[in-house]
Amino acid sequence: MESDVTHAMFVSPPARVLRQVRTSTAGTPTSWMQARIKGKQEVAKGTLFVTFDLLGEQVAFEPGQYFFVTLPDVGHQDERGLRRHFSVVTSPEDRVLGFATRMRDSAFKRTLRELPVGTEVEVEQPKGSFVLPDDTSRPLVFIAGGIGITVFRSMLRYIREEALPYRVALIYSNRDRDSTAFLDELRELEQEISDFRLILTMTQDPGWGGETRKVDTQFVKDYLGEDLDQFTFLVAGPPPLVEGAQRALEAAAVPEENVIAERYSGY
């Protein structure tokens, strides 16, 4: 997964999670840590959720950031190698790092599929600026397509755990229910977070009785009303979804500074 943040706002890192940086033998800090695969779980058709035990290390990160993972060589190679970066799907309060990814036929994904729980890997300190805005007075709208849900799962879990006063609507677009990662958990979060609203659309699911439209200007207005200036929009997912959402918001006269977008490609 590769990401491109087109606009960002910053918040302070969580106060109760201490950052520890490994020191090399030369005495200079390095950003990588040894970790161990803690769990692997299929959370949707073709989507694997992987967590890492940091072996006693603690690391501070903000929900929405990403981190690099380097896998050991078990015989699969291609031009992209065995190092990738992924959005952190876990919350800082989970005390583990995790990501979720669509499984594809690459050396990295084949290796990931074969590695057993307990395998040691290298991870790097999370980084990135696609994070929760500092201002809790403005309502937020998350727009996610497919695997773009990872950043918002991290944010929503953190909002719930810290009882933060954000007001959030999540528009989550997928082809069908089978490919919708964390669907049941998101429904539970809607019940647990008082100011969270979940809006689902399944664009290619004949058995789905709910919304089936793609996210466009009319879709957004139908669910959020005509006064879109009041919201800050965070958009994440494959480039076509993100670009389509940005066009829809632009057509609705949403100011550019109120839209924060991150495109996922190459995952």
Side-chain angles (χ1 to χ4, degrees):
M1 179 195 75
E2 296 176 358
S3 60
D4 172 27
V5 182
T6 58
H7 179 69
M9 300 178 182
F10 296 89
V11 299
S12 300
R16 293 198 300 276
V17 184
L18 300 177
R19 174 174 179 173
Q20 295 182 358
V21 179
R22 185 182 298 275
T23 301
S24 71
T25 55
T28 57
T30 61
S31 63
W32 62 269
M33 300 173 289
Q34 287 298 122
R36 185 178 292 130
I37 296 176
K38 181 180 178 68
K40 296 166 67 176
Q41 176 188 1
E42 189 174 55
V43 291
K45 183 179 180 181
T47 299
L48 189 66
F49 173 35
V50 184
T51 54
F52 300 95
D53 178 355
L54 299 180
L55 305 179
E57 296 277 2
Q58 290 181 301
V59 58
F61 67 90
E62 299 173 36
Q65 292 188 308
Y66 66 90
F67 69 110
F68 280 89
V69 180
T70 303
L71 302 179
D73 186 355
V74 295
H76 302 297
Q77 289 289 344
D78 60 21
E79 67 280 358
R80 297 192 62 200
L82 297 175
R83 182 173 180 265
R84 293 284 195 284
H85 69 280
F86 299 92
S87 295
V88 184
V89 71
T90 46
S91 162
E93 296 300 310
D94 292 334
R95 305 305 170 109
V96 296
L97 288 180
F99 68 78
T101 185
R102 302 288 198 204
M103 297 304 289
R104 302 285 190 254
D105 189 26
S106 67
F108 185 96
K109 301 297 177 67
R110 290 196 299 270
T111 300
L112 183 65
R113 185 180 293 112
E114 292 180 11
L115 291 177
V117 171
T119 301
E120 288 199 1
V121 302
E122 290 184 2
V123 301
E124 296 184 32
Q125 298 281 341
K127 63 186 75 174
S129 56
F130 190 81
V131 296
L132 281 168
D134 212 3
D135 184 1
T136 61
S137 67
R138 287 180 60 84
L140 303 177
V141 179
F142 298 161
I143 302 179
I147 202 63
I149 193 60
T150 54
V151 289
F152 301 132
R153 179 187 186 263
S154 177
M155 292 177 183
L156 288 167
R157 287 173 66 87
Y158 188 62
I159 289 170
R160 180 194 63 185
E161 291 152 4
E162 293 294 303
L164 299 175
Y166 288 98
R167 291 168 289 160
V168 182
L170 167 62
I171 298 172
Y172 187 17
S173 176
N174 283 275
R175 292 189 303 274
D176 52 48
R177 283 163 289 181
D178 288 344
S179 62
T180 302
F182 304 109
L183 177 57
D184 290 341
E185 181 180 346
L186 290 168
R187 285 171 165 159
E188 291 173 4
L189 287 169
E190 187 178 28
Q191 300 302 313
E192 296 166 353
I193 301 173
S194 60
D195 288 320
F196 170 46
R197 179 188 182 194
L198 177 62
I199 302 165
L200 298 167
T201 182
M202 307 291 172
T203 59
Q204 299 177 36
D205 190 336
W208 174 248
E211 181 64 75
T212 60
R213 290 178 294 168
K214 293 184 177 181
V215 180
D216 59 15
T217 304
Q218 192 59 52
F219 184 109
V220 175
K221 288 184 176 181
D222 285 348
Y223 283 96
L224 301 177
E226 294 292 327
D227 182 17
L228 299 181
D229 284 352
Q230 65 179 303
F231 301 105
T232 296
F233 292 84
L234 282 73
V235 187
L241 180 284
V242 173
E243 291 160 9
Q246 287 180 300
R247 287 194 298 270
L249 297 174
E250 182 180 4
V254 175
E256 184 179 353
E257 61 268 22
N258 291 346
V259 180
I260 308 168
E262 185 168 66
R263 299 171 179 84
Y264 292 176
S265 60
Y267 55 83

